[in-house]
Amino acid sequence: MKRTADWAATGSSELFTGTRPFDAGSGSVPPLVLLTSPTEPAMTAPPLDPAPDERLMEVYRRAENPGDPLELRDLYLGRVEAELGRYSDRPEHAERWRSARLRRDVTPQDVLGSRATVRFVKELFNSYFRDDLYGRLAGSARVILSGGSVDEEAWGLPDVLKDALSYALYRDWYGYSDSRGREAARQAVAGYESARLGRPVYDERNVAITMGATFAISSVIDQIRLTRTGPQGPALCAIPNYPPLVESAARRGAVQLVPLTAHGGVSSLRPLIAALRPDTPFVLLQTAANPTGAVVPEAELAELIRAASPSTMILLDECHEWLGARDRLSPARAAANVVRFSSLSKNWSAPGLKVGWLVADEAFIDEYYEYASTTFGGPPSFFYTLVETLARMEAWLIGGVDRIGPGHLAEFEPTYGFRLAPLQAAYDNYRADRLDREATLTALRDTVTARLGLPHFTVTPAASSINLALSVAGHDDSYLAFRDLLRQTGVSVFPGILTFCLSGGIVRLSTSRRWHDLEPALRALADYRPRPPETDPRRRNDHR
């Protein structure tokens, strides 16, 4: 149900005076009783290891210049075309692969430590979206399950937050601001992030509002590499990971990729702890992995933070950390060398707004202020009312607040003109929206997990996020699996190699789609039968 705020029509200076009760009956999803979801899915899938396999290393062995990422990309795609056989539509790529010969020996460490690997995956990421999925293959995709975000038309921003945006526009609140963001918004975020840690560890001096997580992480990497004096060795980037972020890290200095195996909904940090060095400038880590939804153990995260040099910054990408039960977050996340990143892209279904925040030690935020004020000025001030409202209400949810009192009202500045009854109605609306959204998206994810329990698929059940990792029987290459699935079923999935899953036929699908999209996609996938790659007698397997 769409709601309009009375203040917009009447010119009232009060926010939330026209909020009506949340109504989940929008028709975008069926009643949960129609979803064939079991109870909590068992974490029984075998370990998923993203380390490079022999197939990927063969690309490096055949390249004339294994340091050229574009050649690696073209060779890799050439093999895919060659193995598609009669279904290939780029014969020139296939011929390039067939004519390549083995030239050298390559080890997994050669691949993981190569600058070319990072750029190769990023170029493949670009090619997937630009040239294939939304390019020449666009007509083949009847259902796109490769988006990586929530269907915002079904589960977009809560209407309370839309009212906050409209109110900011009505009040003309879009002028210049502090490069860290408006103080009231930063105070609200500090309260929310303190509530997540279960203790009052932050205030506004620990927070900066940002233009989304990708921009913020890239900016912080630049800040560390360009403006700080400290260790200058290879940065550690845990994989799986997001190619634009790893490429941002690699552009500013050496990078070492560290594979983290996912098993039972958990990604152990032991390899990352073992890879730490005194000259490690920073560690880039997703606390809930994309594409597996596996979470990091809080005890091991605390161990990683303690083991790192005080000058080694631990960058925690927390954007996929939702839709799942978690242990209480470790207080080590508030350590002086930790920077935590969040955005509205995933949890609040607003990737196009490009708004989020980072939380860090006060001294680091002071450095960020100088970097931000010099480089881009500040985030869009138009979003501060939205961020403040969101953060305060999320903190109330964590605290189990049911009834709004004068103390909650006093958290907002008098200029908003809030009164208890409208604020109570707005909070009731927000809470109902958020709880309904979480229950529905979790049920959809678990339903898809159950429905894909088929002989030709192995699902890695997710402990968090909206994504599932799927291993396709008969395929040991994720891009080939994507092409074969698309051709046979019309369902687009996301090749695992595009998140640095450098082995196997692992693909990602996002389950946060409306049921009228998911149900036919699941039926089509159930009818899928893997087609083995073409064998080609002209393919050379020697060192000539």
Side-chain angles (χ1 to χ4, degrees):
M1 177 186 292
K2 298 296 182 183
R3 292 170 291 281
T4 58
D6 286 351
W7 54 261
T10 65
S12 168
S13 62
E14 297 181 24
L15 178 55
F16 303 140
T17 55
T19 303
R20 294 197 287 264
F22 171 74
D23 179 7
S26 64
S28 59
V29 292
L32 294 185
V33 295
L34 297 181
L35 302 179
T36 57
S37 175
T39 56
E40 187 69 18
M43 299 291 182
T44 56
L48 192 156
D49 185 356
D53 60 9
E54 285 296 318
R55 275 182 60 87
L56 183 65
M57 289 190 289
E58 187 181 5
V59 174
Y60 290 73
R61 290 169 181 148
R62 291 174 177 267
E64 291 184 21
N65 177 9
D68 181 349
L70 298 181
E71 183 187 2
L72 294 174
R73 178 201 63 189
D74 291 345
L75 272 179
Y76 176 86
L77 291 175
R79 181 174 61 193
V80 170
E81 295 295 332
E83 294 180 349
L84 284 170
R86 64 184 181 276
Y87 301 110
S88 169
D89 58 2
R90 290 189 288 196
E92 70 283 1
H93 280 63
E95 186 54 37
R96 181 169 185 172
W97 170 255
R98 294 188 187 105
S99 64
R101 63 182 179 85
L102 295 172
R103 299 172 183 273
R104 65 187 59 81
D105 290 327
V106 175
T107 68
Q109 283 306 310
D110 293 332
V111 174
L112 293 170
S114 170
R115 169 67 180 97
T117 298
V118 177
R119 183 64 182 276
F120 153 56
V121 172
K122 177 58 167 59
E123 291 292 342
L124 195 60
F125 177 91
N126 295 345
S127 180
Y128 168 80
F129 285 110
R130 179 191 61 216
D131 304 327
D132 285 351
L133 181 60
Y134 299 116
R136 61 196 182 83
L137 301 177
S140 303
R142 294 192 294 273
V143 182
I144 294 179
L145 300 184
S146 50
S149 63
V150 174
D151 182 343
E152 63 274 6
E153 292 185 2
W155 302 282
L157 282 174
D159 279 5
V160 169
L161 300 184
K162 295 176 184 177
D163 287 350
L165 282 173
S166 298
Y167 184 74
L169 182 61
Y170 171 76
R171 295 291 300 270
D172 295 314
W173 287 347
Y174 37 72
Y176 287 123
S177 71
D178 189 300
S179 293
R180 298 164 297 178
R182 188 168 182 263
E183 184 173 328
R186 291 187 283 124
Q187 287 174 345
V189 170
Y192 166 55
E193 293 293 356
S194 290
R196 291 184 68 205
L197 292 182
R199 60 191 67 196
V201 292
Y202 298 122
D203 61 29
E204 69 277 4
R205 295 169 295 183
N206 299 110
V207 177
I209 310 300
T210 68
M211 292 184 282
T214 299
F215 177 85
I217 294 172
S218 178
S219 296
V220 165
I221 288 169
D222 281 356
Q223 176 187 338
I224 292 170
R225 283 293 198 183
L226 301 178
T227 68
R228 297 192 115 206
T229 58
Q232 296 297 319
L236 301 181
C237 293
I239 58 172
N241 217 313
Y242 186 47
L245 295 180
V246 183
E247 173 64 16
S248 290
R251 285 181 178 182
R252 295 303 186 189
V255 161
Q256 178 70 35
L257 303 178
V258 182
L260 301 184
T261 298
H263 188 220
V266 172
S267 291
S268 175
L269 299 182
R270 292 293 166 198
L272 206 55
I273 295 170
L276 283 170
R277 297 180 358 185
D279 66 345
T280 300
F282 63 88
V283 175
L284 178 60
L285 170 66
Q286 292 183 320
T287 53
N290 172 18
T292 63
V295 299
V296 300
E298 289 297 317
E300 289 187 11
L301 179 57
E303 184 180 346
L304 170 72
I305 294 167
R306 289 194 301 268
S309 164
S311 56
T312 297
M313 302 304 298
I314 310 297
L315 310 184
L316 300 182
D317 178 354
E318 300 180 350
C319 293
H320 289 271
E321 200 173 286
W322 62 297
L323 285 190
R326 285 191 61 87
D327 296 334
R328 176 62 65 93
L329 299 185
S330 169
R333 293 196 188 205
N337 63 332
V338 174
V339 187
R340 301 169 55 205
F341 300 87
S342 292
S343 83
L344 272 64
S345 293
K346 303 295 187 292
N347 199 350
W348 289 274
S349 309
L353 293 186
K354 301 300 180 188
V355 60
W357 56 82
L358 63 86
V359 184
D361 183 72
E362 179 183 351
F364 189 88
I365 295 294
D366 287 344
E367 293 178 22
Y368 180 82
Y369 173 84
E370 170 57 26
Y371 176 83
S373 63
T374 301
T375 308
F376 56 86
S381 57
F382 174 67
F383 293 122
Y384 294 154
T385 306
L386 177 153
V387 171
E388 180 181 1
T389 302
L390 175 158
R392 295 202 190 282
M393 291 189 176
E394 287 290 331
W396 298 344
L397 282 173
I398 293 172
V401 172
D402 182 51
R403 301 305 301 170
I404 298 299
H408 302 103
L409 186 64
E411 293 179 18
F412 292 94
E413 297 175 1
T415 185
Y416 287 117
F418 282 168
R419 291 178 289 118
L420 272 178
L423 184 58
Q424 179 71 61
Y427 176 58
D428 290 343
N429 184 307
Y430 184 86
R431 177 174 55 180
D433 189 311
R434 294 287 286 161
L435 294 177
D436 177 81
R437 178 178 186 272
E438 181 172 354
T440 302
L441 292 177
T442 301
L444 286 172
R445 186 185 67 198
D446 292 348
T447 296
V448 174
T449 301
R451 290 278 293 268
L452 290 178
L454 301 167
H456 44 280
F457 295 132
T458 301
V459 184
T460 299
S464 195
S465 188
I466 57 170
N467 297 318
L468 289 177
L470 193 71
S471 295
V472 183
H475 287 296
D476 53 8
D477 182 283
S478 63
Y479 213 96
L480 188 62
F482 148 67
R483 290 290 301 276
D484 196 32
L485 281 165
L486 182 64
R487 182 186 64 81
Q488 290 199 48
T489 70
V491 177
S492 166
V493 295
F494 193 74
I497 193 171
L498 304 185
T499 53
F500 290 94
C501 289
L502 303 177
S503 59
I506 301 162
V507 297
R508 184 195 79 189
L509 55 86
S510 299
T511 62
S512 54
R513 315 308 296 171
R514 283 175 275 199
W515 188 246
H516 66 69
D517 290 328
L518 279 176
E519 201 277 332
L522 291 170
R523 280 192 281 105
L525 291 172
D527 292 336
Y528 169 74
R529 294 297 179 267
R531 189 188 68 81
E534 294 276 331
T535 57
D536 191 326
R538 291 176 294 170
R539 179 176 170 183
R540 297 177 179 175
N541 290 303
D542 54 42
H543 286 272
R544 290 177 293 176

